[in-house]
Amino acid sequence: MSRILIFFLIIILISGCKTVTQKVDEASEKETKRLSKFLKKTESDLKMEFGNPDLIEQGKSKNKTLVYYDSKFKIKCERRFEVDQKSIVVAFNSKNCF
């Protein structure tokens, strides 16, 4: 009887972990789709959506990186957009943004 109970508890825990993983994957995919809309857009379009960046880094390739920080549920979200010399967004990266 106790083995059956333990078996069902293990199955419930495993299925719960899969559900959380699926939700994180879905949120990450949604974030990627949202940010990819800014590729080949101007820096001003980006600033209209996100406001002024929290940090601007100058890269070796003369491109600059606009960094935006956000915090949700005490998890620090970081979005980075690389902007070329013509003020066009050429790349992005997102960490912990759900």
Side-chain angles (χ1 to χ4, degrees):
M1 180 70 171
S2 64
R3 286 185 178 184
I4 293 172
L5 182 60
I6 292 172
F7 176 73
F8 282 118
L9 287 174
I10 290 172
I11 288 177
I12 290 171
L13 289 173
I14 290 173
S15 65
C17 291
K18 285 185 179 180
T19 302
V20 170
T21 302
Q22 286 175 337
K23 288 185 180 187
V24 168
D25 290 345
E26 288 171 5
S28 296
E29 185 178 325
K30 186 177 178 180
E31 173 79 1
T32 300
K33 283 182 183 180
R34 177 180 177 224
L35 298 183
S36 66
K37 292 179 182 177
F38 291 100
L39 289 174
K40 299 182 183 178
K41 299 281 179 142
T42 64
E43 181 179 344
S44 60
D45 291 335
L46 183 66
K47 286 182 177 179
M48 283 189 339
E49 178 72 22
F50 291 103
N52 288 325
D54 297 306
L55 178 66
I56 299 175
E57 298 175 346
Q58 194 65 39
K60 293 179 183 178
S61 64
K62 297 185 182 177
N63 289 352
K64 61 184 173 181
T65 302
L66 306 180
V67 183
Y68 294 90
Y69 296 110
D70 194 9
S71 184
K72 190 183 286 186
F73 306 115
K74 295 192 177 186
I75 297 173
K76 190 174 183 180
C77 163
E78 178 183 280
R79 293 181 181 102
R80 296 176 158 269
F81 296 91
E82 185 177 347
V83 179
D84 68 7
Q85 295 174 348
K86 297 177 184 177
S87 295
I88 302 296
V89 178
V90 294
F92 67 88
N93 188 357
S94 175
K95 292 181 187 174
N96 300 328
C97 301
F98 303 104

